[in-house]
Amino acid sequence: MPGRNFLFVPGPTNVPERILRAMDRAMEDHRSSAFPELATGLFRDLKKVFKTTTGQAFIFPATGTGGWEAALVNTLSPGDRVIAPRYGQFSHLWIDLAQRHGLRVDIIDVEWGEGAPAERIQEILTGDAQHEIKGVLIVHNETATGVTSDLGAVRRAMDAAEHPALLYVDGVSSIGSIDFRMDEWKVDLAITGSQKGLMLPAGLGIVCASPKALAARERAKCPRVFFDFGDMIKANATGYFPYTPSLPLLYGLRESLAIIAEEGLENIFARHHRLAEGVRAAVRAWGGGLKLCAKAPKWYSDTVSAILVPEGVNGADVIDVAFRRYNLALGAGLARMAGKLFRIGHLGDLNELMLLGAIAGAEMAMRDVGIKIEAGSGVAATAEYYRSTAAPLAARAAAPLSPDAQQPPAAGKTTSPRVAARA
Ligand code: PLP
């Protein structure tokens, strides 16, 4: 199909040209004397994205799932008790992984469409006078349902119960896109993957561990080899890895962290919020029995919207038509949500007009499968929202162009005066 594919699954996300170029390089010796400069810069700058000064960042050649595993096996022993609310497919899978490692998981089942129940967590922890519970597992942004939990509230609940359990947070679809504060919320293990807010291909599982988590490592008896923090700590201390790292991904990560620093984390969060609000404006305008899976505004996710389709319609048909007819990739309904919804991922390297393309394609596909919505209704609502909330032109002119436009022009190439002035 000519033209580009519109990638609107909630990860992998679009990889900016700058990152693609940074990854496109010859292999080199990962044991050379030059290598530590790359690795130590990554460990330092990753901490800023997690908002931690005291934590330690680990980079595994893995994915978010590997990050889940690394966080648990380095800090717990088989038979340890943890609590975990379950409100979507990813919280479910993490619980499954914990159980397969022999942990005893007290599952708090929550309706899909809601998030972590802070009050219930407080009650359970308060009742655990012997401090048998060793950890609380929270998926910050449940990608399957488009729900973001209030981590500040979870932390307050743990503090109110005066319970010493470690706080484990899956930030796979939040870190780098939605406000996340490792130190302030006293998160002990924070996990992400490379293919979402970091705008890279999949292939890195990144974990940040607090000093308390690193101390728990000394007692933790879960077997571990590939994911052992101890081996990483030893090798990372001199700027190396215990095994062969993926050089393209590390160079890509360096570029990603530079792009994030240029835009600024707070600006990134604000951009994601505004882009998400535009998608939510479309859902409201469509009507036609469509609604967000997230049950209340306090659960709305700024990185992914899961949109329930009306009874009698199969959400998978919308996704299939969008893909085959309009070259638009939407996210599927997972597990018990299969067929009931489709998801629009709105995270990473994207802007208003890109999202309008996704809204237009979703709208066309929905009409194609017989959902009764008015042509153009969602597009108009989103466009008007973006238009009416756009930064004033003066502010825009002062803001940098997209990072790609800031590259100095190649010799002999003409460019716009605006770009030339900055080059
Ligand atoms: N956690 C969340 C919230 C996710 O969205 C995903 C994947 O989409 C995962 C964990 C699993 O990550 P991965 O597929 O990188 O192993």
Side-chain angles (χ1 to χ4, degrees):
M1 219 188 261
R4 15 175 314 246
N5 173 245
F6 271 62
L7 183 62
F8 281 88
V9 296
T13 63
N14 296 296
V15 180
E17 289 287 327
R18 254 176 86 175
I19 292 184
L20 289 173
R21 283 196 292 270
M23 291 192 302
D24 182 12
R25 52 191 303 145
M27 290 304 101
E28 57 191 66
D29 179 9
H30 60 287
R31 304 199 194 281
S32 79
S33 57
F35 184 79
E37 195 188 325
L38 169 66
T40 49
L42 296 177
F43 299 136
R44 180 193 60 225
D45 293 342
L46 266 174
K47 288 170 58 163
K48 296 178 195 154
V49 177
F50 283 73
K51 289 201 181 160
T52 180
T53 53
T54 55
Q56 177 160 0
F58 296 96
I59 306 172
F60 292 101
T63 67
T65 305
W68 280 343
E69 181 156 343
L72 297 180
V73 298
N74 278 285
T75 50
L76 295 165
S77 305
D80 275 354
R81 196 172 149 207
V82 298
I83 58 172
R86 175 165 60 186
Y87 35 75
Q89 180 63 0
F90 292 102
S91 32
H92 169 72
L93 289 174
W94 197 11
I95 287 167
D96 175 57
L97 186 147
Q99 288 172 329
R100 289 204 241 167
H101 273 289
L103 302 174
R104 285 186 294 145
V105 188
D106 292 6
I107 302 171
I108 310 169
D109 267 311
V110 175
E111 208 179 335
W112 289 29
E114 296 184 358
E119 280 171 16
R120 183 84 193 97
I121 291 169
Q122 185 172 334
E123 252 172 52
I124 296 172
L125 293 179
T126 306
D128 177 38
Q130 303 305 316
H131 294 168
E132 243 192 55
I133 296 168
K134 301 295 177 219
V136 178
L137 275 54
I138 306 288
V139 174
H140 185 199
N141 186 77
E142 176 51 80
T143 323
T145 56
V147 161
T148 303
S149 287
D150 182 349
L151 286 180
V154 172
R155 170 39 72 193
R156 285 191 295 280
M158 293 175 70
D159 286 351
E162 296 181 10
H163 199 288
L166 294 171
L167 176 57
Y168 297 74
V169 175
D170 168 336
V172 173
S173 57
S174 65
I175 290 174
S177 314
I178 296 177
D179 192 14
F180 179 83
R181 310 175 200 169
M182 178 157 173
D183 283 0
E184 191 181 322
W185 294 331
K186 291 182 271 172
V187 174
D188 292 297
L189 282 306
I191 300 142
T192 194
S194 46
Q195 75 276 23
K196 299 195 193 251
L198 293 174
M199 306 169 285
L200 290 159
L204 298 178
I206 300 170
V207 183
C208 251
S210 71
K212 187 171 156 191
L214 293 177
R217 192 175 67 85
E218 310 291 338
R219 317 180 277 278
K221 301 232 167 11
C222 279
R224 51 195 187 264
V225 180
F226 186 77
F227 287 119
D228 188 28
F229 282 173
D231 293 341
M232 274 289 189
I233 290 170
K234 257 187 251 146
N236 290 174
T238 52
Y240 295 97
F241 287 89
Y243 32 68
T244 319
S246 164
L247 287 161
L249 282 171
L250 296 186
Y251 278 107
L253 178 59
R254 185 166 73 175
E255 198 62 22
S256 156
L257 294 171
I259 292 174
I260 288 172
E262 280 161 29
E263 185 174 358
L265 271 179
E266 306 309 317
N267 292 332
I268 292 174
F269 303 154
R271 172 168 59 84
H272 280 77
H273 179 66
R274 185 163 162 273
L275 291 174
E277 283 284 301
V279 175
R280 296 192 275 265
V283 178
R284 278 193 301 275
W286 281 327
L290 294 155
K291 57 177 192 224
L292 288 172
C293 179
K295 295 223 178 291
K298 67 173 178 176
W299 304 123
Y300 288 172
S301 163
D302 284 342
T303 55
V304 53
S305 294
I307 300 163
L308 292 162
V309 294
E311 289 275 321
V313 175
N314 186 346
D317 292 341
V318 177
I319 295 164
D320 188 48
V321 169
F323 186 65
R324 289 196 294 132
R325 203 170 265 173
Y326 305 119
N327 212 357
L328 166 67
L330 298 168
L334 302 174
R336 74 166 78 150
M337 288 301 172
K340 295 195 175 138
L341 57 76
F342 67 89
R343 294 174 298 152
I344 300 180
H346 32 83
L347 73 164
D349 182 43
L350 83 169
N351 61 25
E352 297 93 329
L353 293 190
M354 289 161 82
L355 255 173
L356 273 165
I359 300 286
E363 192 169 291
M364 289 151 79
M366 283 193 284
R367 284 173 52 79
D368 287 348
V369 304
I371 300 180
K372 299 213 171 349
I373 52 173
E374 197 182 321
S377 53
V379 173
T382 306
E384 272 311 285
Y385 175 77
Y386 290 152
R387 208 189 53 75
S388 64
T389 57
L393 276 182
R396 271 271 149 114
L401 290 173
S402 77
D404 277 332
Q406 290 175 60
Q407 304 275 322
K413 289 248 176 77
T414 54
T415 185
S416 80
R418 215 169 141 215
V419 177
R422 284 167 204 289

